[in-house]
Amino acid sequence: MSIDESTAAKVAKLARIKVEEDALPALAQEFNAVLGFIEQLNEVDVEGVEPMVSVTPMRLKRRKDVVTDGDQQDKILSNAPDAREGFFAVPKVVE
């Protein structure tokens, strides 16, 4: 798979990154380098390799699965920059 300049421009627009027209060839080349590295990773034989959480052997911490009432709404919402009627208020982001 190869990324051309028009695809690089589209990706930059979707990521809301301003890229000058003369920088698009370099950006496309960087995307292609990343994709090339991913293709190299796909060639690695991982048959029989266990998934890892860390490079050191460890188990994830467990907690008891119990239902609690929480009852911390006021405490949680006190950290919100804008809270209304018991909910987080966020700006509209859908165009």
Side-chain angles (χ1 to χ4, degrees), residues 32-82:
N32 285 321
V34 170
L35 290 176
F37 181 70
I38 292 171
E39 287 176 6
Q40 283 181 342
L41 289 177
N42 284 333
E43 294 172 3
V44 175
D45 181 21
V46 293
E47 189 72 30
V49 176
E50 293 287 324
M52 298 182 350
V53 175
S54 172
V55 293
T56 58
M58 60 191 307
R59 290 186 51 88
L60 294 175
K61 295 180 181 177
R62 307 274 181 184
R63 64 172 172 82
K64 292 185 178 180
D65 191 16
V66 295
V67 177
T68 61
D69 63 350
D71 197 31
Q72 298 182 16
Q73 182 179 22
D74 294 333
K75 183 178 176 184
I76 293 170
L77 289 176
S78 68
N79 292 323
D82 189 9

Side-chain angles (χ1 to χ4, degrees), residues 4-23:
D4 59 0
E5 291 180 30
S6 65
T7 306
K10 185 175 180 179
V11 170
K13 181 180 178 185
L14 290 171
R16 298 184 189 274
I17 300 171
K18 183 178 180 181
V19 179
E20 299 298 329
E21 196 71 31
D22 59 338

Side-chain angles (χ1 to χ4, degrees), residues 3 23-36:
I3 303 292
L24 284 175
L27 181 62
Q29 187 176 7
E30 287 183 40
F31 284 151
N32 285 321
V34 170
L35 290 176

